[in-house]
Amino acid sequence: MIKEHYASNGEVQIHYYDSGEQSDAKLLPLVICPGLSETAEEYLDLVQTVVPRRSIVLSFRGRGKSDTPENGYDLANHIADLEAVVKHAGVTSYHLFAYSRGVSYALGYTQLHEEHVRSLMIGDYLAEHRAMTADWAVDYTNNYLIPYKRTENIRETAVWGIHRDSSQIQFDHPLHIPVLVARGQLEDSLVTDSDLDHYKQLCSKLTVMEYARTGHALKGEDKDQLYGDIIGFLSTVDEGGKTS
């Protein structure tokens, strides 16, 4: 049974789901970081897919059922949301999957806590935390969130907070854990060949998976293949096998 919880990051309550009660204790848990406007609910299908492995998936601040503070939307705040959930869930060794903007939160987190992260799975995003402009905030709200009815997924307060607080950060710290980079092959993929070369420089244990029918939206036509690849990668890492 998947249960809902709240973790406290200071005064901000972060909502998450945990499938702990139906999990196999011999399998390391999977912690899931959704993308920019995504909520924890949008990954409950992945939680079910990896059963009997325990999964924990959160909604970052300003998204889903988590609180929406007026301030505090930089990289450090999002990393702290993830830290609060991991601490509240009581896990000390786990795999980490992140998609899109969530990748920058996961990469920043892993740089601080690599000793606890058994592997990192990256969903179609480059190794950087992007500064977001005011023009982006207007366009994102008016041409995506409103017409696609996603304003309940991420509040406008959070969008403008991300614009105000975000800064440009390049991740150059080497990772010594197994890393999977999943990227689409259509033109709207956010991982270019040069971005992939950057990952090859950063990650000594790198696996790359590419999806021919998919661009950035990895959970589109190739979702079943993606989820199958995640399960296979997790099993290989758990068994201590070769991942690249």
Side-chain angles (χ1 to χ4, degrees), residues 93-159:
S93 183
Y94 39 86
H95 302 282
L96 193 56
F97 171 77
Y99 171 69
S100 193
R101 181 88 170 178
V103 169
S104 65
Y105 309 149
L107 282 168
Y109 176 90
T110 301
Q111 287 188 350
L112 298 174
H113 304 286
E114 188 171 343
E115 71 276 15
H116 297 294
V117 180
R118 183 67 182 87
S119 75
L120 174 62
M121 287 154 284
I122 290 167
D124 204 71
Y125 206 73
L126 59 169
E128 71 177 38
H129 182 68
R130 289 178 168 176
M132 310 305 281
T133 66
D135 287 343
W136 164 81
V138 171
D139 179 72
Y140 192 70
T141 301
N142 293 336
N143 296 319
Y144 178 63
L145 297 183
I146 292 174
Y148 287 92
K149 297 180 172 57
R150 293 186 67 82
T151 53
E152 290 302 312
N153 293 55
I154 181 170
R155 266 71 76 186
E156 289 189 45
T157 297
V159 173

Side-chain angles (χ1 to χ4, degrees), residues 15 20 39 50 53 56 62 90 123 152 157 173 198 202 205 215 233:
H15 175 254
T39 67
V50 302
R53 187 185 299 274
I56 297 155
E152 290 302 312
T157 297
H173 181 75
H198 186 206
L202 293 181
K205 303 175 182 177
F233 180 78

Side-chain angles (χ1 to χ4, degrees), residues 6-67:
Y6 284 88
S8 298
N9 180 8
E11 296 182 353
V12 181
Q13 297 296 301
I14 303 300
H15 175 254
Y16 73 96
Y17 291 93
D18 188 343
S19 66
E21 287 192 358
Q22 63 184 32
S23 65
D24 183 343
K26 298 189 294 295
L27 299 173
L28 287 180
L30 173 63
V31 178
I32 303 168
C33 299
L36 178 62
S37 70
E38 292 183 319
T39 67
E41 287 78 11
E42 292 175 89
Y43 284 86
L44 291 178
D45 60 343
L46 179 56
V47 171
Q48 294 285 5
T49 299
V50 302
V51 169
R53 187 185 299 274
R54 180 183 181 185
S55 294
I56 297 155
V57 55
L58 73 152
S59 292
F60 286 101
R61 59 184 53 217
R63 287 84 152 180
K65 299 179 183 178
S66 292
D67 285 351

